[in-house]
Amino acid sequence: MRKIDEIMAYNREFVKNKMYEEYLTTRFPDKRMVIVTCMDTRLTQLLDKAMNLKNGDAKIIKNAGAIITSPFGNIMRSILVAIYELNANEVLIIGHHQCGMTAIDPANVVTHMEERGISEEVIHTLRHSGIDLNRWLTGFDSVRESVENSVDIVRNHPLLPAGTPVHGLIIHPETGELEMIIDGFEYLESRRG
């Protein structure tokens, strides 16, 4: 059986048996926070458990590496929507140790694209249309520096409400231990003084 067929069969039973009832909540985050983290499979349930989050507590945005690269990209837009429309008032950027984006080789990714059927012509056209695939596909050397850079982009955004704390953390993908890299409240306090 195909995976999607398994999912659809399970879903029919899930709805029929009203298994969704334990997850009912509103669209507003109860803990009024928005979290940007990595899509790593080890964090799927671990992050929530390590932070004592339940369904409905936080808006969680996931991407490869918890990286925010563009101040006007999709991730930042989602953060601002969570703040202005969904009552979030705190931002957490959470990277993790042993991240797959650490020292990723963009040339290797392009080679894998070509091996899977993307033509050299398409790659050539993109490169000559102003798309820097090396920059776009680059990860980072240090998870700490990546978290710091992402926090910097968010807290210096011209549309972020003044006084919004932006925290930077790193989670261990096996134990769930959190390390505070940047305390957003301390940063705001240091700016006042």
Side-chain angles (χ1 to χ4, degrees), residues 29 31-36 58-61 78-80 82-83 88-93:
K31 293 190 177 180
R32 301 190 66 196
M33 63 176 65
V34 57
I35 297 169
V36 176
K59 294 295 180 183
I60 300 178
I61 304 163
S78 296
I79 291 169
L80 293 172
I83 291 170
N89 62 8
E90 205 164 335
V91 180
L92 290 80
I93 310 296

Side-chain angles (χ1 to χ4, degrees), residues 5 43 52 66 128 137 157:
D5 295 330
L43 302 182
N52 193 30
H128 292 299
L137 295 169
H157 198 281

Side-chain angles (χ1 to χ4, degrees), residues 28-125:
F28 299 99
D30 292 336
K31 293 190 177 180
R32 301 190 66 196
M33 63 176 65
V34 57
I35 297 169
V36 176
T37 193
C38 186
M39 64 184 193
D40 191 292
T41 57
R42 295 170 292 178
L43 302 182
T44 300
Q45 293 182 35
L46 179 66
L47 181 81
D48 296 353
K49 299 294 184 195
M51 296 180 67
N52 193 30
L53 296 176
K54 65 179 184 358
N55 199 51
D57 279 346
K59 294 295 180 183
I60 300 178
I61 304 163
K62 294 186 173 196
N63 72 0
I67 302 170
I68 300 171
T69 55
S70 173
F72 290 93
N74 290 337
I75 302 297
M76 193 64 219
R77 180 186 65 204
S78 296
I79 291 169
L80 293 172
V81 167
I83 291 170
Y84 286 107
E85 296 299 314
L86 301 169
N87 298 329
N89 62 8
E90 205 164 335
V91 180
L92 290 80
I93 310 296
I94 306 175
H96 68 94
H97 297 290
Q98 304 162 7
C99 184
M101 290 301 286
T102 304
I104 193 168
D105 180 2
N108 197 34
V109 176
V110 171
T111 297
H112 290 147
M113 289 175 179
E114 292 172 339
E115 289 169 354
R116 302 265 314 258
I118 305 301
S119 71
E120 286 184 40
E121 181 182 349
V122 168
I123 302 298
H124 178 78
T125 300

Side-chain angles (χ1 to χ4, degrees), residues 9-40:
Y10 177 85
N11 181 258
R12 284 188 288 277
E13 291 301 311
F14 181 88
V15 174
K16 178 182 169 187
N17 296 323
K18 297 184 179 183
M19 295 165 59
Y20 55 83
E21 289 179 345
E22 69 179 286
Y23 303 105
L24 291 175
T25 186
T26 71
R27 63 188 177 118
F28 299 99
D30 292 336
K31 293 190 177 180
R32 301 190 66 196
M33 63 176 65
V34 57
I35 297 169
V36 176
T37 193
C38 186
M39 64 184 193
D40 191 292

